[in-house]
Amino acid sequence: MTVDQSPAWTALNKHAEELGNKHLKDLFAEDDQRFDRFSFSAAHCLADFSKQRISSNTLEKLIQLAEQQRLPEKIEALFTGEHVNTSEDRPALHTALRQPKEIPLRLGEADISQEIHSSLERMETLVEQIHNGQWRGYDGSPITNVINIGVGGSDLGPLMACRALNMFTSAEIRHIEVHFVSSMDGSQLARLLNKIDPASTLFIVSSKSFSTIDTLANSNTAREWLVNASGLSSELISQHHFIGITASPTKASEWGIPEKNQLHFWDWTGGRYSMWSAIGMAIALHTGNDNFRKMLAGAHEMDSHFRHTPLTENLPALLGMIGIWNINFLDIHAHAILPYDGRLQHLPAYLEQLEMESNGKSVTLNGDKFDYSTCPILWGEVGPNAQHAFYQLLHQGTESVMCDFIAPALRYQEYGEELQAQHQLTLANCLAQSRLLALGDSVLDNADNAPLHKRYRGNQPSTTIILDELTPESFGALIAMYEHKVYVQSVIWEINPFDQWGVELGKQVATSLLDQFTDPVAAKTDSSTEGLIRFVQQQRREVKS
Ligand SMILES: O=P(O)(O)OC[C@H]1O[C@H](O)[C@H](O)[C@@H](O)[C@@H]1O
């Protein structure tokens, strides 16, 4: 029996028939205590679910589904290192990466918390050496530019965190610029190599597998650039200008990263859950080791809340379960992430990987196919900008879209009134948009007289997440909350959120197609692929002739 045939699921289907058609404006009209009833706080975050199409009865039934799916035990299994990643037969212990040293965690014979903290301390030592100019380039120059080469989980997290915590970079370390290169087409790298000095540039090759072609292609180009600029051997260049962060040390050594320039993490850290490990070195370089530790501490605060709080007040559990309600009972399959703080500009892209690579699955842990929906299409943009882009669709389109509005309460405390006024303006827009999406033009007195193209139907569900302030701690807590939300949904859907088999075949097909561009008698594919390759080859011939 799959979960959609279970008693709790059936009860929710029945409940959806009763409540599903009730408009949010009616739910608010019936209950002026909705905010108090449906908003919850923990670890620097307040989550307001009152603009979700739920009643207290809905939450009760969702909690019953979560208990039916044994969510509390599954949460404990995650934290204690059980092999929740069944298809790869591994634990998923990203929470251990932000656990204080004093709390032991046994994995088999080993207490991994000691290993984790010695790796963290080693990373911090390298960061200090780079910050204080001890780490030198091939001609003795101190490092001023650091380029993180990585993709997916080895890029999106560190990039997001560096932008989010940019204002926490102290003057002492501002002489170090951190850049991110991920795209296999070389466009980011080419732009950078044109403007930086090779002698004072350090590359961090971030790759759990150390076999991702995107990252190796960019790293090969970077090394060739340095070898050409210096006239030195690639061995010598690798000693001064390359650090490798990986869970595959042998491959990193084979590529040429000296053992002493390597930082390691573990296969029980999923790529998209790895920014808390040495993969976060770029964050520590950009914001300082202290702020990196504060980010870990904030995430640990949310971990403790998730692990020890009853489901009825558990933020990640409620965020996850209300998502299940929207997807599986209200038939909503689009999810917009809308940060009302430009520092969180990379949050949507990060969550796209975290959520869709984790829960974009259609087979249960037992290998069974099923008919119910899983992860929705998730996308997003900085809210105020998106108001001038796709909010037309949110307000007057035909699609139901659930939205997450995310904003800090406090900002610019140490700045002038102008900037504080800009934050006030941004908050007003954040609250206005979620209000209008929920209530539609019932916010106006005489909306009924307006022509249809000026009507706003509302009833678009949203959650508003307010951080006390955007700090390393609250940022860590926010990301940990979404990680746990994803896990909660995977437990309900009985899927494995920690593997990503679906990304592999495309890589193989790409490798086999590479030959097609150079070898005309290569293996047959299909008329479209062959036609497109012929067109590219023709363009190249014309350029040459
Ligand atoms: O860190 P790496 O092994 O280079 O992997 C980088 C990324 O590529 C893979 O294809 C997966 O899609 C991601 O989960 C991963 O984060």
Side-chain angles (χ1 to χ4, degrees), residues 151-154 206-210 212 215 271-272 353 357 500 503-504 507:
V151 70
S154 299
S206 291
S207 179
K208 178 179 177 183
S209 62
F210 223 90
T212 305
T215 301
R272 53 190 175 275
Q353 184 197 19
E357 199 173 67
Q500 58 284 324
V503 303
E504 295 310 324
K507 297 174 185 175

Side-chain angles (χ1 to χ4, degrees), residues 128-397:
E128 272 153 29
Q129 288 173 354
I130 296 162
H131 279 163
N132 61 27
Q134 239 177 301
W135 186 292
R136 299 285 170 147
Y138 63 79
D139 69 354
S141 305
I143 299 299
T144 54
N145 284 292
V146 175
I147 301 180
N148 185 84
I149 301 181
V151 70
S154 299
D155 167 71
L156 292 165
L159 170 64
M160 169 185 63
C162 284
R163 295 293 180 273
L165 304 177
N166 193 39
M167 296 169 91
F168 292 87
T169 300
S170 65
E172 293 75 51
I173 60 173
R174 272 197 189 282
H175 61 286
I176 305 271
E177 266 212 68
V178 175
H179 312 267
F180 291 86
V181 163
S182 54
S183 167
M184 68 169 64
D185 72 345
S187 49
Q188 296 158 314
L189 192 58
R191 188 177 52 77
L192 272 173
L193 298 188
N194 272 338
K195 62 176 184 174
I196 57 177
D197 164 29
S200 57
T201 298
L202 174 68
F203 292 94
I204 300 178
V205 182
S206 291
S207 179
K208 178 179 177 183
S209 62
F210 223 90
S211 59
T212 305
I213 195 86
D214 321 53
T215 301
L216 296 180
N218 279 313
S219 303
N220 290 338
T221 303
R223 185 162 58 185
E224 187 194 332
W225 173 71
L226 272 163
V227 166
N228 293 343
S230 65
L232 300 171
S233 70
S234 73
E235 290 70 31
L236 209 56
I237 282 299
S238 299
Q239 280 175 26
H240 288 280
H241 293 276
F242 284 88
I243 284 177
I245 302 178
T246 188
S248 314
T250 312
K251 290 211 176 97
S253 302
E254 282 161 10
W255 188 83
I257 308 269
E259 178 70 29
K260 68 177 178 49
N261 288 16
Q262 293 184 22
L263 290 170
H264 301 146
F265 62 106
W266 304 268
D267 66 7
W268 45 253
T269 311
R272 53 190 175 275
Y273 298 86
S274 65
M275 64 183 256
W276 323 98
S277 72
I279 285 286
M281 182 178 184
I283 306 169
L285 271 169
H286 185 61
T287 66
N289 286 327
D290 290 355
N291 284 321
F292 186 73
R293 282 195 177 254
K294 286 178 181 166
M295 184 185 81
L296 297 179
H300 180 65
E301 254 183 277
M302 185 58 79
D303 294 343
S304 305
H305 166 78
F306 179 53
R307 189 175 182 180
H308 303 301
T309 306
L311 299 181
T312 47
E313 285 134 51
N314 189 311
L315 248 61
L318 292 167
L319 194 63
M321 295 313 295
I322 290 168
I324 297 277
W325 170 245
N326 285 331
I327 297 158
N328 297 108
F329 301 96
L330 297 185
D331 215 16
I332 302 175
H333 304 290
H335 190 171
I337 302 294
L338 307 166
Y340 275 70
D341 186 323
R343 295 170 294 178
L344 294 174
Q345 67 180 119
H346 295 291
L347 177 67
Y350 175 83
L351 292 179
E352 286 163 15
Q353 184 197 19
L354 177 69
E355 301 226 11
M356 294 196 272
E357 199 173 67
S358 293
N359 287 344
K361 312 280 168 63
S362 53
V363 174
T364 65
L365 291 161
N366 305 330
D368 301 324
K369 290 290 286 176
F370 51 78
D371 300 328
Y372 49 88
S373 294
T374 54
C375 191
I377 307 295
L378 197 124
W379 90 99
E381 175 54 79
V382 171
N385 294 17
Q387 289 178 202
H388 308 278
F390 54 75
Y391 275 41
Q392 168 60 38
L393 176 142
L394 298 181
H395 286 297
Q396 295 187 322

Side-chain angles (χ1 to χ4, degrees), residues 57-96:
N57 194 2
T58 318
L59 285 190
E60 271 166 39
K61 287 187 167 38
L62 287 170
I63 300 295
Q64 284 160 9
L65 174 61
E67 278 154 0
Q68 174 197 280
Q69 297 299 91
R70 300 173 32 239
L71 179 59
E73 293 115 279
K74 297 287 174 72
I75 293 175
E76 204 47 27
L78 177 75
F79 280 87
T80 52
E82 281 188 33
H83 287 211
V84 289
N85 178 354
T86 48
S87 70
E88 295 174 310
D89 193 18
R90 292 176 189 154
L93 279 170
H94 39 283
T95 53

Side-chain angles (χ1 to χ4, degrees), residues 450-465:
L452 272 185
H453 66 272
K454 289 189 177 175
R455 299 301 310 269
Y456 293 72
R457 72 172 190 284
N459 212 27
Q460 293 278 38
S462 70
T463 294
T464 300
I465 297 164

Side-chain angles (χ1 to χ4, degrees), residues 392-542:
Q392 168 60 38
L393 176 142
L394 298 181
H395 286 297
Q396 295 187 322
T398 55
E399 300 305 314
S400 293
V401 179
M402 59 188 129
C403 300
D404 288 7
F405 289 85
I406 300 138
L410 302 176
R411 190 174 180 190
Y412 298 132
Q413 304 308 97
E414 61 289 351
Y415 290 78
E417 279 173 20
E418 291 73 25
L419 278 172
Q420 289 182 20
Q422 283 195 251
H423 178 50
Q424 185 86 355
L425 175 67
T426 307
L427 276 179
N429 275 271
C430 177
L431 303 189
Q433 292 294 338
S434 61
R435 171 173 160 73
L436 185 56
L437 282 174
L439 306 180
D441 52 27
S442 70
V443 299
L444 299 174
D445 297 334
N446 55 359
D448 297 352
N449 311 333
L452 272 185
H453 66 272
K454 289 189 177 175
R455 299 301 310 269
Y456 293 72
R457 72 172 190 284
N459 212 27
Q460 293 278 38
S462 70
T463 294
T464 300
I465 297 164
I466 304 286
L467 306 177
D468 47 15
E469 194 172 0
L470 181 53
T471 60
E473 293 89 345
S474 68
F475 174 74
L478 176 73
I479 305 304
M481 179 174 71
Y482 274 105
E483 288 178 342
H484 295 321
K485 168 223 170 170
V486 166
Y487 182 67
V488 165
Q489 295 187 331
S490 74
V491 167
I492 303 302
W493 291 322
E494 300 176 352
I495 57 177
N496 178 359
F498 299 116
D499 61 12
Q500 58 284 324
W501 298 104
V503 303
E504 295 310 324
L505 187 52
K507 297 174 185 175
Q508 293 160 29
V509 174
T511 306
S512 68
L513 277 187
L514 265 179
D515 304 338
Q516 292 258 343
F517 283 93
T518 46
D519 172 5
V521 290
K524 282 195 66 53
T525 51
D526 59 79
S527 63
S528 161
T529 307
E530 288 163 16
L532 293 167
I533 289 175
R534 268 200 310 279
F535 178 78
V536 170
Q537 288 168 329
Q538 185 195 335
Q539 301 304 312
R540 289 182 181 165
R541 275 195 301 277
E542 282 166 13

